[in-house]
Amino acid sequence: MPIKKRGTGLTAVADAWQLADIDVTASYPIRPYTAVMAEVAKRIANGLMKCEMVHGEGEHAQFSIAHGASMAGARATTGSSGVGVAYAFETYSPIAGGRCPIQALIADRTLDPPGDFGSEHTECLNLRDNGWIYGWAENAQESLDNSLMFFRIGEDPDIMLPQIVAMDGYFVSHIAQDYEMPDQEQVDKFLPPFKPQFRLDVNNPVIMGPQIEPEMGPPLEWDRNVVMDRVKEKIVAVTEEFGKIFGRKYAPFVEEYMTDDADMVFLLQGAHAVTCRSAIRYLRQAGYKVGMCRLRWFRPFPDTALKAILPKFKVVGVVDTNTSYGAAGGSGVLLVETRASVSEVPGKPLIQGFTSGLGGETITHEEFFKMAEMMKMTLEAGRIIQDAVWVNFNDYLPAVSEVQAAEQQVAQTKE
Amino acid sequence: MTLAVAIDPNMLEVTVWTRGVTLAKEARDTATLLAKAGKAEGKHVQSFDNYVDLPDRIGVPCKSYARISPDPIETFYEYENYRPDIVVLAEETLVKGHNILGGAKPGCVVVINTARDPEKLLKWISPKENMKHLKAVACIDANALGAGVMLTFDGTEGSGDDTKIGAGVGAAIAGAVAKATGCVKLESLVSVAENKAAVKQGYEKVTVLPVCKGEAFACGLPEDPQEIKWK
């Protein structure tokens, strides 16, 4: 029987790792990741989990340990936050290129300066080009479910890629909430044991990650590129199978909320979707035809899904909880990827960038109201009024009356 | 703000101020107990530590929060209680130098763990412009109740707390809060606390001073003078 629990995203992922019967976990403390390692250590001590726990001397070592364990055929996990994720940067491409399907839990934290504990997606997005597959969970239940689904997708013999179970630090990682820990029997049915075709074995020696000649590079990279398309097919199949076995049905790529008759939508990922949904209910009562699209995956980026979904709307407000200084559009990474996804689609909507929730600040109801108001102005103007909006810093609310006055003047002179 | 709606208008916000490491666990217990008691009464609840307070430093001021609401909580992912209805000080010196009434809603009640009389502490409460919202100051000498001050190391950090909830002074303080504010019933608090005697003692021994316009008894005695006990 599944167990009803009250816990955090971190205890939920520890539950998933327990159910997945992981062989090795590599740890190094940093807030907010730390608690998952405390949970796993406790469960090993209490006999709930049988797993080798190796403490690295830093995050670079931590990810390298998991890498090595995976090459030896272990189902290995690790994880980190903020600057810890950055410190391990060198290891990401070798792990993905070596097709070692380890799982990392990343509970987001801002990068320094100046040293802040709050959630920002920047550190995790920084490694977007390294061939890992990942997406954000919005609550404890989804982080548990994602962990199981990601193992299944990443360890598939056709895929063999490392995964990141990403969650917003503090919001998902620390705030206690109700969730369900699935039954072991269900998990065993869903997730077969990890049996890689090749592994380090003294009796059957193989070489992993050798030095190669230049002409051997392109085919290797082509293969890493092609596999990302296969991941998309696998995501669809696995998400559906997960729903059948566990009874929780997720949209494979983009969750839509109140989009049926919406003119404008928020597009975001992660924990802020929870407040966004609540804000939308108030906005609807006030007559705003607004909805939400929440991305469940960032890599592979769900561009095919967005091509089909976004032309339904007139204005899309992309909420970036990350920084990409100097990026096209002056906002964050999500804006760039979203615009690129639909840039060649006929009837594409106006795509407005918003930067909000930095430093781990909650995006409040009032801020969503404000963004909706700005999107409405864009809708009425029929064009982007102002790019690169950082909410509360350069909102175009006060500027809009001036813009309208100027436009009226122009219209009059034309008459 | 473009849309004037009150979010979570019926939610009761409890902020427990405490000292890092030495009393952090007790304050978290007070908040957890109040939330659990509210849950036992069928309410929607949350309790959590302030994430940015660095509670792993000894003696540093830090906060734990509880939220009790008849409706589902919509500001679920908001970090802090910005508009407290109840402010609890797990240790008396916190009354000095901290804006404990910051954002306080009208009718706010302050509960302090102290051997002093409420009137002695009233003058330290700040910010002064929010004194008009203060309905009462309640004092409980939880440390003297025999429940024992438990020195615990804070560190759940999002993992489960395997220690007993409400074994030490945090339980007595929670009892005092229940009496002084009526936010939860004594029975529900007793049902969830480890040290049930401490909860009851806190409930019985609390001293409540009604405050009006920032001054003690400025609006006269309450209807039921039995509610007020002087040492």
Side-chain angles (χ1 to χ4, degrees):
Chain A
M1 277 286 287
I3 307 164
K4 297 248 183 257
K5 293 183 95 164
R6 191 167 176 81
T8 63
L10 295 175
T11 63
V13 169
D15 284 341
W17 289 359
Q18 180 185 324
L19 290 164
D21 190 21
I22 59 167
D23 304 306
V24 175
T25 190
S27 58
Y28 187 79
I30 184 167
R31 281 181 111 192
Y33 151 83
T34 315
V36 76
M37 112 193 180
E39 276 292 318
V40 171
K42 193 164 74 185
R43 288 166 196 220
I44 294 169
N46 292 345
L48 276 172
M49 284 174 81
K50 261 193 196 163
C51 134
E52 189 82 25
M53 187 165 183
V54 190
H55 203 60
E57 85 274 8
E59 288 82 0
H60 191 284
Q62 204 189 340
F63 278 75
S64 303
I65 291 161
H67 187 189
S70 182
M71 286 196 282
R75 179 173 281 162
T77 68
T78 186
S80 193
S81 296
V83 290
V85 175
Y87 186 49
F89 205 93
E90 190 198 9
T91 65
Y92 296 122
S93 188
I95 293 171
R99 309 299 282 275
C100 291
I102 69 167
Q103 185 170 98
L105 176 147
I106 294 186
D108 294 309
R109 171 175 171 168
T110 59
L111 290 170
D112 291 352
D116 175 350
F117 304 124
S119 166
E120 246 175 54
H121 296 180
T122 315
E123 84 308 33
C124 207
L125 289 171
N126 277 352
L127 52 99
R128 63 188 177 275
D129 302 328
N130 282 275
W132 286 55
I133 57 173
Y134 59 108
W136 268 259
E138 65 164 346
N139 56 31
Q141 183 72 64
E142 195 180 12
S143 49
L144 190 157
D145 295 346
N146 275 0
S147 173
L148 296 174
M149 276 188 262
F150 289 16
F151 272 129
R152 171 72 191 276
I153 295 162
E155 290 175 0
D156 191 292
D158 294 339
I159 308 294
M160 294 293 278
L161 285 177
Q163 326 100 46
I164 293 166
V165 177
M167 62 171 77
D168 287 76
Y170 187 71
F171 301 121
V172 179
S173 74
H174 276 54
I175 291 186
Q177 39 196 293
D178 295 319
Y179 68 92
E180 195 179 280
M181 180 181 176
D183 202 32
Q184 186 67 57
E185 218 170 278
Q186 289 174 311
V187 174
D188 292 344
K189 202 167 139 197
F190 177 73
L191 184 64
F194 177 50
K195 290 216 175 79
Q197 194 185 348
F198 304 104
R199 66 184 189 91
L200 295 179
D201 178 357
V202 283
N203 297 319
N204 299 290
V206 291
I207 297 172
M208 288 193 182
Q211 197 73 40
I212 56 166
E213 300 292 327
E215 68 274 16
M216 296 159 83
L220 191 70
E221 307 293 35
W222 169 247
D223 194 40
R224 286 176 72 179
N225 176 52
V226 167
V227 75
M228 276 290 172
D229 278 335
R230 287 210 296 268
V231 174
K232 287 186 188 170
E233 294 158 24
K234 204 64 75 175
I235 287 171
V236 174
V238 169
T239 312
E240 194 180 329
E241 192 186 331
F242 184 91
K244 279 187 190 142
I245 294 179
F246 297 92
R248 282 186 294 281
K249 296 198 191 316
Y250 292 96
F253 293 107
V254 182
E255 180 208 328
E256 294 184 60
Y257 179 75
M258 290 207 177
T259 54
D260 281 350
D261 62 337
D263 288 332
M264 33 193 223
V265 288
F266 294 106
L267 187 143
L268 40 65
Q269 59 183 11
H272 296 295
V274 174
T275 318
C276 185
R277 265 190 226 99
S278 169
I280 285 171
R281 289 193 288 272
Y282 288 101
L283 285 163
R284 283 272 170 178
Q285 281 168 16
Y288 292 75
K289 283 165 84 178
V290 62
M292 179 187 80
C293 292
R294 180 176 71 92
L295 306 188
R296 291 225 331 115
W297 285 90
F298 185 79
R299 279 292 180 267
F301 195 79
D303 55 346
T304 319
L306 291 182
K307 278 187 180 83
I309 295 168
L310 294 190
K312 290 193 290 188
F313 316 116
K314 296 196 177 82
V315 179
V316 174
V318 178
V319 186
D320 264 301
T321 312
N322 63 84
T323 53
S324 180
Y325 301 112
S331 211
V333 178
L334 265 189
L335 178 69
V336 177
E337 297 266 348
T338 307
R339 280 186 173 165
S341 297
V342 297
S343 66
E344 307 309 321
V345 177
K348 64 174 190 279
L350 291 166
I351 300 176
Q352 172 72 49
F354 293 112
T355 297
S356 188
L358 295 185
E361 284 246 288
T362 312
I363 306 179
T364 61
H365 284 74
E366 287 74 17
E367 279 153 5
F368 278 113
F369 297 161
K370 203 188 250 187
M371 285 188 259
E373 184 62 27
M374 286 191 264
M375 280 155 68
K376 199 174 160 202
M377 289 173 176
T378 303
L379 179 72
E380 283 161 4
R383 60 179 180 82
I384 295 290
I385 297 171
Q386 180 194 310
D387 224 340
V389 174
W390 284 47
V391 178
N392 295 347
F393 290 91
N394 62 342
D395 304 330
Y396 54 81
L397 288 171
V400 81
S401 53
E402 292 166 35
V403 172
Q404 281 167 347
E407 278 175 347
Q408 269 176 2
Q409 270 186 352
V410 173
Q412 278 163 3
T413 50
K414 275 181 183 163
E415 280 166 9
Chain B
M1 194 166 101
T2 54
L3 198 60
V5 290
I7 315 291
D8 292 324
N10 302 316
M11 182 171 78
L12 206 63
E13 299 176 52
V14 187
T15 300
V16 187
W17 288 72
T18 190
R19 295 281 178 193
V21 181
T22 55
L23 269 171
K25 156 78 175 160
E26 297 304 325
R28 190 194 312 123
D29 276 11
T30 303
T32 307
L33 287 176
L34 293 169
K36 282 184 131 188
K39 177 125 182 154
E41 292 169 15
K43 305 260 180 61
H44 298 267
V45 300
Q46 259 188 298
S47 67
F48 48 92
D49 290 350
N50 184 302
Y51 184 55
V52 293
D53 275 344
L54 301 171
D56 49 352
R57 297 182 190 179
I58 293 172
V60 74
C62 54
K63 290 157 278 219
S64 286
Y65 302 114
R67 292 170 170 183
I68 305 170
S69 174
D71 316 308
I73 297 172
E74 303 208 56
T75 50
F76 192 74
Y77 279 154
E78 269 187 24
Y79 265 56
E80 296 179 21
N81 282 347
Y82 295 104
R83 300 178 64 233
D85 299 88
I86 299 166
V87 176
V88 183
L89 307 184
E91 190 270 312
E92 61 180 2
T93 61
L94 286 160
V95 77
K96 280 179 160 182
H98 301 291
N99 283 337
I100 60 166
L101 284 186
K105 286 190 203 123
C108 183
V109 176
V110 174
V111 182
I112 307 173
N113 176 19
T114 178
R116 292 170 212 270
D117 290 333
E119 245 175 338
K120 298 259 167 59
L121 296 170
L122 195 58
K123 65 178 168 188
W124 298 108
I125 296 176
S126 66
K128 292 296 168 208
E129 65 267 25
N130 283 359
M131 287 298 280
K132 59 180 181 291
H133 297 320
L134 187 61
K135 191 173 88 177
V137 178
C139 289
I140 175 70
D141 191 4
N143 297 8
L145 291 180
V149 180
M150 264 179 61
L151 291 180
T152 54
F153 287 92
D154 182 275
T156 64
E157 273 294 331
S159 67
D161 186 350
D162 287 348
T163 56
K164 308 262 195 285
I165 309 288
V169 291
I173 298 171
V177 173
K179 176 70 177 286
T181 68
C183 66
V184 290
K185 296 193 188 82
L186 176 64
E187 308 88 86
S188 30
L189 205 51
V190 168
S191 72
V192 294
E194 178 68 20
N195 189 341
K196 296 174 194 313
V199 173
K200 287 180 196 157
Q201 278 182 309
Y203 191 88
E204 284 157 15
K205 297 273 168 67
V206 66
T207 308
V208 183
L209 171 69
V211 179
C212 193
K213 294 171 188 158
E215 287 172 39
F217 295 116
C219 300
L221 282 167
E223 285 175 18
D224 180 10
Q226 292 300 314
E227 286 292 301
I228 305 158
K229 288 176 195 162
W230 293 96
K231 288 194 185 120

